[in-house]
């Protein structure tokens, strides 16, 4: 399986989960922005390629303000003007993908698309003899 880390304030292990839960409206949940750390920029770009072109999960973009699902590799787009050290201090690893989940399609549909992209990444890594993580 592809190694990655999901960063989302709705997860119990998020460092600010309790704080956000105390401030949020229970009817709205924790929002539609999440991050996935793929470890390297190359792996992040491969996943976004599969998500956009293989499963139609969403679109690669530099801005996350749109009704469709959008995604961005922050270190090489919106935060690229920062030095490596500044990105490290800000907690922006090179393989970080920020996603804004749009309101078209269902959550189940998006999840299946995401899983298919991860499987394709794994299959391609196996096909070409490289590690997927």
């Amino acid at each position: 399986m592809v190694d990655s880390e999901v960063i989302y304030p709705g997860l119990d292990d998020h460092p600010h989960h309790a704080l956000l839960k105390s401030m949020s409206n229970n009817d709205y949940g924790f929002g539609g922005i999440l991050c996935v750390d793929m470890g390297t920029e190359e792996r992040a770009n491969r996943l976004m390629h599969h998500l956009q072109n293989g499963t139609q999960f969403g679109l690669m973009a530099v801005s996350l303000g749109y009704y469709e699902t959008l995604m961005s590799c922050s270190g090489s787009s919106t935060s690229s003007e920062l030095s490596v050290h500044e990105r490290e201090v800000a907690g922006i690893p090179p393989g970080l993908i920020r996603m804004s989940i749009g309101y078209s399609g269902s959550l189940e549909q998006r999840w299946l698309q995401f899983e298919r992209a991860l499987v394709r990444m794994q299959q391609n890594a196996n096909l070409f003899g490289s590690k997927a993580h």
Side-chain angles (χ1 to χ4, degrees):
M1 191 61 174
V2 176
D3 289 335
S4 61
E5 177 187 5
V6 175
I7 304 162
Y8 180 67
L11 297 174
D12 290 337
D13 65 349
H14 188 278
H16 303 294
H17 174 78
L19 175 62
L20 186 56
K21 187 173 183 177
S22 73
M23 297 173 11
S24 66
N25 181 327
N26 290 336
D27 294 333
Y28 294 108
F30 290 88
I33 301 276
L34 66 109
C35 295
V36 177
D37 184 358
M38 296 301 294
T40 68
E41 183 180 333
E42 187 270 333
R43 289 184 65 232
N45 286 325
R46 273 195 294 142
L47 177 58
M48 289 190 304
H49 170 80
H50 288 297
L51 288 168
Q52 177 175 287
N53 301 310
T55 68
Q56 285 70 50
F57 172 86
L59 303 169
M60 288 183 261
V62 280
S63 169
L64 300 182
Y66 194 54
Y67 70 93
E68 292 285 348
T69 296
L70 300 176
M71 58 201 152
S72 169
C73 183
S74 298
S76 61
S77 61
T78 55
S79 300
S80 62
E81 74 283 354
L82 299 175
S83 70
V84 172
H85 175 72
E86 289 170 323
R87 286 194 298 267
E88 287 174 2
V89 170
I92 304 170
L96 187 70
I97 301 172
R98 291 175 48 231
M99 297 180 186
S100 171
I101 307 303
Y103 61 80
S104 61
S106 68
L107 182 58
E108 293 78 15
Q109 181 182 30
R110 291 286 172 254
W111 181 249
L112 289 173
Q113 291 168 321
F114 192 83
E115 284 182 322
R116 281 198 312 266
L118 288 174
V119 166
R120 285 183 182 159
M121 254 185 95
Q122 182 69 47
Q123 290 170 338
N124 287 349
N126 292 340
L127 179 67
F128 296 108
S130 64
K131 289 184 176 183
H133 52 356

